[in-house]
């Protein structure tokens, strides 16, 4: 089976690493000449709206999937005429626009921060009056890793933020005084079968995920699964979907969904029976889903900007390095490492060892 992937970054690369043992082949459509997934399959170097290359991709593959959600709607609609596309157009349309996303949470009775659609400065002034400060202004589309958003703490922030974000359609959200951030990686097959990985605790630094730790028997696991199942069924979803939540007042508030494999699920490569990457491929290919249970205790640390010296990373016991083969650049995710240990005590020690190494090499 040959899978077409829109996007050729590290997520595409890890999909191919998981799918190759299943006998799958891959083609990536990505305009970047140095797309890091290209080492693992065919690379169609073209823009996401290039109909000629999209048609070529559709002709060559059995189905198409995505490694990012900001794919133009026209690209999805065009491909869907010729080849099955998972997840479907509706899931992508909703997940790439924060207004549609939050409106869906509200419709499904999933708690979420107070929010308002912002098309102008007047809308913002009005929304701040009802939601209050602090609040977070986010562009409706194209935001990632903390980009395209501003925290509004006082009235001077309110006066400048909309213009600073480019006067594009935005969403204003009430600021959530969360005690933690967790994510749930969910999978739904073509037949509607679903499964869920253990909740993951996430720590961000300047809006970029830095550390994920897989939980054991998290008290909010079932609640998170219930919320995710509502979204999966509503969207008739096929594939892996990541659901990010704020932990607040002993409950959960939905932050956002990502209709794809997700950075907070990278630990599953070593830390779960079947990884998120393999399960995404199984789901979209109509194969039985794999077990999501943990194998030991796991944490994942991102390498942002650069990868520390390889020999030093892998000298840490139980440490599994993933070097994406990308050019090093400030703020860019260029690799990660998973620590998988027998007990939480050992895991905490290994996290400290790896954090120390990252700090030393920064
Ligand atoms: P996002 O791109 O929406 O995932 O936001 C990036 C990060 O900003 C989140 O992981 C949170 O740490 C923080 N953040 C986003 N929205 C809010 C909010 N409404 N209240 C408090 N913190 C937020």
């Amino acid at each position: 089976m040959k899978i077409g992937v829109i996007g050729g970054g590290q997520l595409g690369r890890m999909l191919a690493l998981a799918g190759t043992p299943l006998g799958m082949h891959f083609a990536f459509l990505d305009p970047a000449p140095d797309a890091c997934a290209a080492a693992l399959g065919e690379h169609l170097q073209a823009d996401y709206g290039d109909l000629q290359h999209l048609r070529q991709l559709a002709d060559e593959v059995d189905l198409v999937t995505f490694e990012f959600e900001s794919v133009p709607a026209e690209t999805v609609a065009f491909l869907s005429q010729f080849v099955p596309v998972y997840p479907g157009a509706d899931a992508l349309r909703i997940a790439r626009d924060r207004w549609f996303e939050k409106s869906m949470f509200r419709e499904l009775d999933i708690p979420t921060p107070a929010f308002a659609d912002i098309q102008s400065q007047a809308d913002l002034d009005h929304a701040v009056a009802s939601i209050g400060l602090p609040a977070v202004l986010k562009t409706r589309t194209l935001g990632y890793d903390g980009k395209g958003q501003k925290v509004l703490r006082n009235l001077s922030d309110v006066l400048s933020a909309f213009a600073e974000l480019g006067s594009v359609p935005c969403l204003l959200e009430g600021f959530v005084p969360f005690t933690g951030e967790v994510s749930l990686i969910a999978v739904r097959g073509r037949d509607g079968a679903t499964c869920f990985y253990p909740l993951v605790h996430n720590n961000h630094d300047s809006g970029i995920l830095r550390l994920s730790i897989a939980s054991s028997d998290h008290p909010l696991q079932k609640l998170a699964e219930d919320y995710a199942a509502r979204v999966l069924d509503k969207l008739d979803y096929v594939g892996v979907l990541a659901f990010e939540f704020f932990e607040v007042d002993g409950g959960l508030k939905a932050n956002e969904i990502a209709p794809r494999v997700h950075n907070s699920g990278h630990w599953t490569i070593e830390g779960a029976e079947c990884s998120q990457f393999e399960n995404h491929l199984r789901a979209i290919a109509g194969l039985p889903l794999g077990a999501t249970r943990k194998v030991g205790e796991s944490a994942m640390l991102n390498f942002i900007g650069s990868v520390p010296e390889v020999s030093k990373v892998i000298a840490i016991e139980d440490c599994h390095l993933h070097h994406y083969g990308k050019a090093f650049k400030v703020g860019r995710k260029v690799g990660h490492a998973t620590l998988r240990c027998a007990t939480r005590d050992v895991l905490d020690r290994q996290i400290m060892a790896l954090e120390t190494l990252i700090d030393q090499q920064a």
Side-chain angles (χ1 to χ4, degrees):
M1 175 176 280
K2 189 164 180 181
I3 313 279
V5 185
I6 304 297
Q10 66 265 22
L11 300 181
R13 181 176 165 113
M14 288 185 271
L15 280 170
L17 285 168
T20 304
L22 301 181
M24 293 173 174
H25 301 273
F26 292 83
F28 304 96
L29 188 134
D30 192 311
D34 57 350
C36 73
L40 280 298
E42 186 186 346
H43 180 198
L44 298 179
Q45 195 192 331
D47 286 334
Y48 299 120
D50 178 333
L51 299 188
Q52 192 191 331
H53 282 91
L54 288 170
R55 183 64 210 259
Q56 184 188 337
L57 182 76
D59 286 346
E60 277 184 25
V61 302
D62 298 289
L63 49 91
V64 167
T65 190
F66 307 90
E67 63 142 37
F68 67 106
E69 56 272 38
S70 306
V71 188
E74 305 74 41
T75 299
V76 184
F78 181 78
L79 285 166
S80 306
Q81 298 174 77
F82 311 108
V83 68
V85 168
Y86 300 114
D90 213 26
L92 291 163
R93 183 182 65 83
I94 289 174
R96 75 171 152 252
D97 185 316
R98 293 184 191 272
W99 167 254
F100 294 148
E101 188 179 51
K102 291 256 165 20
S103 302
M104 177 183 68
F105 296 154
R106 184 159 57 192
E107 182 193 330
L108 295 176
D109 220 5
I110 299 171
T112 195
F115 65 97
D117 184 27
I118 307 296
Q119 300 284 338
S120 64
Q121 183 66 41
D123 284 351
L124 180 59
D125 297 341
H126 187 71
V128 167
S130 68
I131 289 177
L133 293 178
V136 189
L137 187 67
K138 304 179 177 180
T139 58
R140 276 179 52 168
T141 60
L142 298 173
Y144 70 99
D145 285 347
K147 295 188 177 68
Q149 59 177 273
K150 294 215 170 285
V151 178
L152 314 186
R153 299 192 185 278
N154 52 49
L155 286 177
S156 71
D157 295 337
V158 178
L159 287 175
S160 60
F162 184 64
E164 278 171 23
L165 289 177
S167 302
V168 295
C170 285
L171 195 79
L172 184 74
E173 286 179 21
F175 188 90
V176 180
F178 56 80
T179 51
E181 293 187 79
V182 291
S183 58
L184 184 75
I185 307 294
V187 198
R188 186 169 183 274
R190 282 206 226 168
D191 59 358
T194 54
C195 56
F196 306 94
Y197 289 89
L199 273 171
V200 186
H201 293 276
N202 297 315
N203 288 306
H204 296 84
D205 191 359
S206 311
I208 306 181
L209 182 66
R210 198 182 59 82
L211 168 69
S212 292
I213 303 179
S215 69
S216 295
D217 303 322
H218 197 293
L220 297 171
Q221 179 79 29
K222 284 287 160 227
L223 185 64
E225 290 183 12
D226 172 31
Y227 292 158
R230 292 182 208 179
V231 170
L232 292 173
D233 289 342
K234 162 84 181 164
L235 298 175
D236 196 17
Y237 194 86
V238 177
V240 160
L241 178 120
F243 207 141
E244 294 185 54
F245 296 100
F246 299 124
E247 268 185 280
V248 59
D249 300 332
L252 295 172
K253 275 193 201 282
N255 178 23
E256 63 179 354
I257 53 170
R260 55 173 167 79
V261 287
H262 192 256
N263 196 172
S264 67
H266 290 1
W267 65 274
T268 60
I269 297 175
E270 290 86 10
E273 199 65 49
C274 180
S275 77
Q276 64 162 349
F277 298 98
E278 181 172 335
N279 253 334
H280 180 71
L281 295 167
R282 288 183 182 220
I284 64 176
L287 298 168
L289 302 183
T292 51
R293 66 179 166 273
K294 281 196 327 178
V295 184
E297 302 295 328
S298 288
M300 186 254 9
L301 276 110
N302 269 333
F303 297 134
I304 298 160
S306 64
V307 177
E309 211 175 306
V310 170
S311 61
K312 292 191 173 155
V313 177
I314 60 176
I316 296 173
E317 217 179 322
D318 309 317
C319 187
H320 305 266
L321 172 63
H322 296 259
H323 193 308
Y324 304 153
K326 290 163 60 169
F328 293 173
K329 193 173 148 194
V330 176
R332 190 181 210 198
K333 293 173 182 168
V334 290
H336 76 266
T338 303
L339 299 159
R340 188 193 57 207
C341 308
T343 65
R344 186 57 203 259
D345 285 358
V346 179
L347 184 69
D348 288 341
R349 279 204 297 278
Q350 303 301 60
I351 292 172
M352 274 174 63
L354 187 52
E355 283 180 330
T356 304
L357 178 63
I358 293 171
D359 290 347
Q360 280 167 355
Q361 304 238 322

